[in-house]
Amino acid sequence: MLEQYPFLPLVLIFVVAYFFMIRPQMKRQKDEKKFAEQLKKGDKVITKSGMHGKIMELNDNDFSCILETMAGKIKFDRSAISMEMSKKLNAPEPEKK
């Protein structure tokens, strides 16, 4: 069979790479972009560098936001906000019985 289709293994490698590497990365980027667009004033967030704060102001001109931290107000780019950690921070706590 390989004599008839010499490029079949190469094509299969690209197909597997697309479904296991490229496609999940594209989905993650789309989810992060959606998360950054849904940020609103008053959200508690964590940046990718570990800075905790609350969003005080959003600027659509340069796609930045101002976070209020215990050290003061700091301007960050919205892409610097960690989607996973911020969702965990804002998740409702389970009820205790």
Side-chain angles (χ1 to χ4, degrees):
M1 179 163 167
L2 286 177
E3 294 84 23
Q4 294 174 349
Y5 305 106
F7 295 110
L8 185 63
L10 189 60
V11 170
L12 289 175
I13 289 172
F14 283 117
V15 169
V16 168
Y18 175 77
F19 280 106
F20 286 106
M21 295 169 59
I22 298 169
R23 190 167 176 236
Q25 180 65 27
M26 289 172 38
K27 183 180 183 303
R28 189 175 306 116
Q29 286 176 345
K30 186 173 116 180
D31 290 344
E32 285 186 14
K33 183 178 178 184
K34 183 179 173 185
F35 171 76
E37 290 171 354
Q38 291 178 345
L39 288 173
K40 59 188 178 301
K41 189 175 178 179
D43 284 349
K44 293 181 181 177
V45 294
I46 302 174
T47 64
K48 291 180 181 176
S49 61
M51 180 80 65
H52 291 243
K54 185 168 86 171
I55 296 178
M56 298 304 294
E57 186 179 323
L58 294 168
N59 188 348
D60 291 330
N61 294 337
D62 61 354
F63 210 61
S64 65
C65 62
I66 297 179
L67 297 183
E68 180 181 29
T69 65
M70 293 183 77
K73 293 182 181 178
I74 304 173
K75 185 175 183 177
F76 281 98
D77 191 45
R78 287 191 205 177
S79 64
I81 296 175
S82 171
M83 179 175 70
E84 292 84 15
M85 295 302 292
S86 295
K87 283 185 178 179
K88 289 179 185 177
L89 181 68
N90 291 323
E93 294 182 18
E95 293 182 19
K96 296 180 181 177
K97 292 184 180 182

